[in-house]
Amino acid sequence: MIHHPPPAASARHPAVAVAALLIAAPAVPAAADSTVSTLTVAVSQQVDSFNPFTAQLAVTTTVLGHVYDRLLTNDPRSGEPAPALAESWETGEDGLTWTFHLRRDAVFSDGEPLTSDDVVWTLTTVMENEAAAVAGGNYVAGFEKVTAPDDHTVVVELARPQATMTSLDVPIVPRHVWEPILEREGEGFAGHTGEDLPTVGSGPFVLTEHARGRSITLEANPGHWRGAPGFDRIVLRYYSEKDAAVEALRGGEVSFVPDLTDAQATSLEGAEDIAVNFADGKRFQAFTVNPGARTRDGEEFGDGHPALADRTLRRAIAMAVDNQEIVDKAHGGRAVAAGGYIPARYTDFHWAPEGGETDPDFAPDTADALLDEAGYARGADGVRVSPDGDRLRLRMHVHQDRPDNVNAGLIVAERLAGIGIEVENLTVDPGVLSDALHAGEYDLIFTGWTVSPDPDYVLGIHTCDALPLEPGTMQGDAYFCDEEYDELYEAQLREYDPGRRAEIVRDLQRILHREAVVNVLAYPDIREAYRTDHIDPSSVQVQPDPGGNIWGQDGYWALWSARPAAWTGGASGDGLPPVARAGIGAAALLAAAAGTAVLLHRKATEEDRE
Amino acid sequence: MSDPAAPRREGREDTGGLRRALRHVAGRLATALASLAAVVVAAFFLFRILPGDPVRAMTEGREVSAQQREELRRQFGLDQPLWQQFADYALGLLRLDLGTSFQYREPVTELVLDRLGPTLLLAGTGTAVAVSLGLFLGTRAGWRPGSPADRAHTAVALFFWSVPTFWLGLLLIVLLASGRGITPGLFPTGGMADPAGGGTVLDTVRHMVLPVTTMAAVVYAQYLMIMRSSLLEERGADYLTTARAKGLRDALVRRRHAVPNALLPTVTLVFLNLGQVVSGVILVETVFSWPGLGQLFYSGLRVPDLGLVQGLFVLFAASVILMNLLADLVYPLLDPRVRP
């Protein structure tokens, strides 16, 4: 019930009347829109640009991935490349020609059919226009020519074979919309933010509204060839503070919160009508060892500890750390202890050391013995000294904004102390860490990558070509360079047979493990939570299935498949209807205000009486 | 002294007064301009000392090549020599062009105009509430020093003054917005409007309640304390004895005589604070996801988005300088004793 203040009171205390109105207000707009099913996602990143040729930030590339189709997608169950705009594809004898056969029922949201002309124009633009290559140039770097023999066939000719052709993350845009924009903007195309809404795309959603720093609205595209999405509308609501977003989930203001910290996920477990999803991670957490920073021409720079050029020392460092301990203590058990470089979620490519005498993964005693044997004698204080006379005191840079890295750093420092290596733990701003890395002024440094279903890129950053041309311009993150590795890397890129390619990828990880420059610790789980009274849990297509994630998929499976729960409660989790909540709130505020008013009035008259 | 000299001397005094006033104004203006110039230089170099690289930070986790990073660097003008970047920035400022944001790829001026309204609304309301509450309670407290009311008001105000803004904001969200426990979710957890069917005045006001409360609660103590102490100073003044001797009631003596005189130092404080209000709401805007300038600045700092943060820094600093200048110029009008 809504309490109405007596007229006299509201006249004397207009604030009280306003407060009562305020509290009572929400019931009205919420009820008016109940025919449109809305899935609200709390996001924490701002929008850089909705220009699909230039957008960089995860939130925008995610939105664009729902607005535009790609040629191929990734099957959530098998993890294999799957049809999207292209129904089928084949390669020529020499491996240099890829032919994609497009589906005939793909239509842009303005009614124009999507044809091979749109695909050719999109890919050619990324190839030829530098400003338009900022987002996807890496995918087309090896393209010679893209042609369209007919309306539904696209032929890509390559300069050299590349196995990554099935995972081109390039949104296909309508030529009739984007060609005029490119011509009009010319040099200024980089600054074009693609805010002409609604967007014209062929994806399952249409971007209809963007309120800067507030929200992004996507409407379902009911005519999408894969079928209509389960929700009519997706709203990405901006929360600059993740803890506030978690509270919004509790109160039912949002339906889904991705990217939770371990503490947030744990606090939500067991909450009513909330499901917490722990999925196998796409990311690996690692620390790299500075083997001696140098440019591609071999010019050395930086001030890494000279002894780290010795593989024996690096192996000993890797062997001293127990990845299971990192999982248990730094991730609260919500991670998978790392084997090789590619996370366990990608079962085809994942590799783990066999263990045993020759290649132990965790063996502090062996590490100790190795160092003794190699001439790293312990000093009086227990800290070893290298054969060249350098004391083994190593700096370790850790991201201060990542609790899992901070915790893992503490464990690494403690374990290294156990084998006679002193660690100076530098828990710093990510910017400081990045500067130290690129200047080569570090010894041990934390890193991590989110690995795509195709591992080519994360493997490529450890080739000799990824070394910097001059200090500061490095493509990779470890100053790793190994001839055998480079040969195998080229081989996996040329290999079109999935089984044989996976074999080579595992060999690459074997080399990384042997050289112990990149030491992978764990694959942290993805933590996310949603309201089961908003979203029907059985409808959400996770990736991989089972055990997979909802947010950050390759493809639009989750948001496309999610359906509203049968009974969608009000904005509150406590079951009280909005009107009742409004009544309670209004009554409480009124009581407080009235009490204060009476008190003040009594005090005032008291003074006047004096 | 001869008679004819008298009017001449009077005239000289008049022009002298005017000249002194003009000199005062000119002096203040010059100081303000010099401060502004220093700020412009500082903003450029200060943020370039910040660790981190904007292009690396923006492409973090993206599978981009070295060429793509180089192209971004070129687009942001970071491939230019430092002096060239500074010249472009300084010349832009002369044309009132605050530069272009790296991450939003839009002119900073446009971003600012987009965010200015929400910030002024929040900061203005918050300041108004804090000032009224502070002055009102400060008057009560200062009029009867040592009384239980004085002790309670001062203690409560100082308690909130020492509470971290971030913590108080989150606490209010947990208690009043999340729908946890017995308190139903009375207010929204963040933002300025309900994305579904929001945008009405009432909806906006509802979103303002928690951020305004947080902001006012943390800062009202300074107004309370200054009002209290200036009222304390006036309490023993002779003119109050006179007023009482006329038989005025105590409340009237306070309202009509003591308070107007005690208000002067408080007004100065209010003016001095106005300039800092915008930068002061950064934390409140961040906790409550309020789409204002503070949140914009915070999002720029994390990259660092040099174009954005240096533009905003100049703008924030300019507003402080302007408000100080206004306080300097307005104060003599309010208080004849400090006229030059």
Side-chain angles (χ1 to χ4, degrees), chain A residues 121-192:
Chain A
W121 185 82
T122 303
L123 295 177
T124 312
T125 301
V126 179
M127 284 160 64
E128 292 175 353
N129 187 323
E130 266 190 57
V134 168
N138 49 307
Y139 298 105
V140 301
F143 285 23
E144 282 279 296
K145 201 163 77 176
V146 186
T147 50
D150 62 57
D151 271 1
H152 300 286
T153 310
V154 176
V155 177
V156 179
E157 288 172 45
L158 298 173
R160 50 174 203 168
Q162 64 177 68
T164 57
M165 286 301 289
T166 51
S167 54
L168 303 175
D169 191 5
V170 180
I172 303 302
V173 305
R175 178 179 186 172
H176 63 276
V177 172
W178 282 92
E179 193 170 35
I181 294 175
L182 197 64
E183 279 167 11
R184 189 182 68 224
E185 299 281 341
E187 271 295 292
F189 184 68
H192 178 78

Side-chain angles (χ1 to χ4, degrees), chain A residues 47-49 51 53-57 130-131 134-135 187-193, chain B residues 44 48 52-60 62 64 66-82 84-89 97-108 111 300 303-310:
Chain A
V47 168
D48 55 342
S49 165
N51 180 341
F53 293 99
T54 59
Q56 296 289 340
L57 302 183
E130 266 190 57
V134 168
E187 271 295 292
F189 184 68
H192 178 78
T193 52
Chain B
F44 183 83
R48 272 168 179 73
D53 175 90
V55 173
R56 284 204 294 264
M58 280 187 63
T59 56
E60 198 201 331
R62 295 264 307 154
V64 295
Q67 291 90 314
Q68 284 163 294
R69 289 214 183 94
E70 218 36 59
E71 170 64 18
L72 274 177
R73 213 171 287 282
R74 195 188 64 77
Q75 287 176 9
F76 298 158
L78 291 172
D79 57 338
Q80 306 283 328
L82 204 59
Q84 178 77 51
Q85 292 181 41
F86 182 74
D88 287 349
Y89 150 84
D97 174 4
L98 289 171
T100 304
S101 155
F102 295 171
Q103 56 177 337
Y104 299 110
R105 295 176 167 262
E106 271 188 43
V108 174
L111 290 169
V303 173
D305 183 342
L306 295 177
L308 179 62
V309 288
Q310 75 195 10

Side-chain angles (χ1 to χ4, degrees), chain B residues 4 34 43 102 111 130 179 269 272 312 327:
Chain B
F102 295 171
L111 290 169
L269 181 77
L272 286 178
L312 282 178

